[in-house]
Amino acid sequence: MKLLELKNKFKNVLWSIRRKRWARRVFFFVLDVFALTFAILAAFYLRFDGSPSEMQDYIEASGIILSFVLATKIPIFCVFRLYDISWSFASVRDAIYIAFANFVASMTFYSGYEFVTRGSILPAIPRSVAIIDMLLSFLFISVIRFSKRAVSYALRSFQNGNGNSSKKKNLLIIGAGNAGEQLIRSLLKNGSRFRIVGIIDDNPSKWGTYLHGIKVYGGRDKIPQILSDFDVDSVIIAIPSASGTDVKEFVKMSRNAGIKDIRILPAIAELVDGTVSIKDVRSVSLDDLLGRAQVQIELDEVASFLKGKTVMVTGSSGSIGEELCRQIAKFDPRQIILFEIDETRLFDTQRKLQYVFPDVDFVPVLGDVRDKNKVFCSVRTYSPQIIFHAAAYKHVPMM
C-alpha cells in the first residue's frame, strides 16, 4: 500500500510538468542551469585540488566565466533539442545526442572564451578544466534526462520483486530471442500480474545470462525442473517461429507439471509489424500444435490498400472482427467503422482499441447486418471504401 501511495505521489508531482510542453522545457532549463554551474565549479575545484590560492583569479572572474558557460551551452542544447527529449522514454539514442551536444557546447565555450578574452586581464582556462567540465556536464545532464525512467524502473522492480508478490502469478517464459526480450520488457514496464521467475532457451550461448534481470536457466530439458522449483503458475511460449512439434513438446511438458495457463505469441506473420507486447499473447490453439508455417505478407501492398481509407468491419466485437480492427489500425487508416449488434461488447471494443491506437478514429455503430436499412444508412453516412464482413454465425455449431 505504501509503495502504491509513493508511486501515485511521484506521478502527481510529475503530471503538472509533463502535461504542457513549455512547462517541461522550463523545468529542464532550470535544472540545466544548476547542473552546468555546478559542473564548471567542480571542474575548477578538481583541477586545482580545492586550493583557494590557485583558484583566486578564477574566483574573481567566476561571474564572467559562468556567463560564458550558460550563454554558449544552453543555445546549443536548444539546437540539439535536448529540451524536447521525452522524460519517460529517454533512450540510448538520446544519450548519444546528449554526449554530442555536450562535446560541441564545451568546445564552443572553451574556444569562444579563449577568443574573446585573449589579451585581456581575464585568466585563461586550462584545457584540463574544459575536459573535466565536459565530462561532468554530460553526467549531470544525462542524470536529469534519465532520472524519471530510472525511478520508474526502480519502483517497478521493487513492485515486481517484493510489493504484492503474493498476488502475482509465477511465470516462465520460453524463448530468449527478440520476441522474448520485447515481451519481458512489456511485462516489466506495464506492471503486469505476473512475476517472471525465469527464461528457457535452447541456445547454449544464452545459458546463465540475464535478460532484463531475469536469468536464462538453460534449454528445454530444464523446463520440468524450473516448473517444479519455482511453483510456476503460467507459461508463455515466446518463440514466434516455433514449429508445431516444438509447441506440442512445450505444452506437453507444462501439462505434465499441472500447468493449465499456457499461452503463446503468434507467428511473425500474424504480428504484422513485427513488434511484440503483452497484448499479443493468446492461448494455445489447435493450429499452433498442427504447425506454424510462416506466410510472407506483402506489407507495402497492404499499407497502400488501407492507409488513409475509411474501413468498415462488421461483427467488429467478435474474435475475428476485433483482431481485424487491431491489424487494420496499424496501417494508418483514416477511420474504422465498428459495426456490431451487441452494444456492450461494442462499447468495450471501442474503448480497448482507442486505448491501444489513440491516433485512429474508431466510430462505433450499433446495428444488425440483417437490417437492410441500417446497413444502407451506415454505408451512405460514412462512405467506407473497404468493408470487412466478419459478422457470421457459421462457426457456431448450434446456429
Side-chain angles (χ1 to χ4, degrees), residues 102-226:
N102 269 284
F103 174 78
V104 174
S106 295
M107 292 301 100
T108 303
F109 155 66
Y110 179 76
S111 58
Y113 180 85
E114 289 297 309
F115 177 78
V116 173
T117 61
R118 184 176 300 168
S120 69
I121 60 173
L122 293 173
I125 296 178
R127 293 179 183 177
S128 56
V129 170
I131 294 174
I132 297 173
D133 171 61
M134 178 177 64
L135 296 176
L136 291 177
S137 296
F138 170 69
L139 174 63
F140 297 151
I141 300 300
S142 298
V143 167
I144 291 171
R145 298 306 188 277
F146 286 85
S147 59
K148 180 182 177 182
R149 184 170 181 177
V151 172
S152 298
Y153 180 80
L155 289 174
R156 287 198 305 268
S157 298
F158 179 79
Q159 188 174 12
N160 290 329
N162 299 319
N164 298 324
S165 59
S166 61
K167 298 180 181 180
K168 290 179 177 288
K169 291 185 176 181
N170 291 337
L171 170 66
L172 174 68
I173 292 182
I174 302 175
N178 291 333
E181 184 276 329
Q182 292 182 52
L183 176 62
I184 293 171
R185 182 159 21 107
S186 177
L187 286 166
L188 295 176
K189 177 182 177 181
N190 296 319
S192 73
R193 57 191 178 90
F194 295 108
R195 184 171 71 91
I196 308 173
V197 298
I199 309 170
I200 293 295
D201 195 280
D202 286 335
N203 187 346
S205 65
K206 297 180 180 180
W207 296 352
T209 61
Y210 286 80
L211 194 59
H212 295 294
I214 313 299
K215 185 176 180 179
V216 181
Y217 284 94
R220 66 182 67 189
D221 59 303
K222 295 284 187 180
I223 292 178
Q225 178 185 344
I226 300 300

Side-chain angles (χ1 to χ4, degrees), residues 252-268:
K252 184 178 180 180
M253 288 181 176
S254 302
R255 294 291 187 207
N256 290 341
I259 308 299
K260 296 181 180 180
D261 185 13
I262 306 173
R263 309 187 188 195
I264 192 170
L265 280 175
I268 291 295

Side-chain angles (χ1 to χ4, degrees), residues 37-52 54-55 58-59 126-137 139-140:
T37 301
F38 185 75
I40 189 66
L41 295 178
F44 277 109
Y45 185 87
L46 293 174
R47 168 63 178 78
F48 295 106
D49 296 325
S51 174
E54 293 186 40
M55 293 193 300
Y58 298 104
I59 293 174
R127 293 179 183 177
S128 56
V129 170
I131 294 174
I132 297 173
D133 171 61
M134 178 177 64
L135 296 176
L136 291 177
S137 296
L139 174 63
F140 297 151

Side-chain angles (χ1 to χ4, degrees), residues 29 80 130 133 161 176 190 198 240 254 268 282 315 339 351 394 396:
F29 173 80
F80 280 88
D133 171 61
N190 296 319
S254 302
I268 291 295
R282 57 171 172 74
F339 195 94
R351 289 189 64 189
K394 65 182 182 223
V396 182

Side-chain angles (χ1 to χ4, degrees), residues 342-354:
D342 188 324
E343 70 274 14
T344 302
R345 295 183 66 185
L346 175 61
F347 174 76
D348 291 338
T349 299
Q350 195 267 343
R351 289 189 64 189
K352 285 192 295 184
L353 292 172
Q354 200 68 70

Side-chain angles (χ1 to χ4, degrees), residues 301-327:
E301 293 186 16
V302 175
S304 62
F305 180 64
L306 296 173
K307 186 174 182 179
K309 304 286 182 61
T310 296
V311 183
M312 175 183 283
V313 179
T314 66
S316 58
S317 295
S319 57
I320 297 174
E322 185 174 328
E323 181 63 21
L324 267 173
C325 293
R326 193 166 65 88
Q327 299 297 344

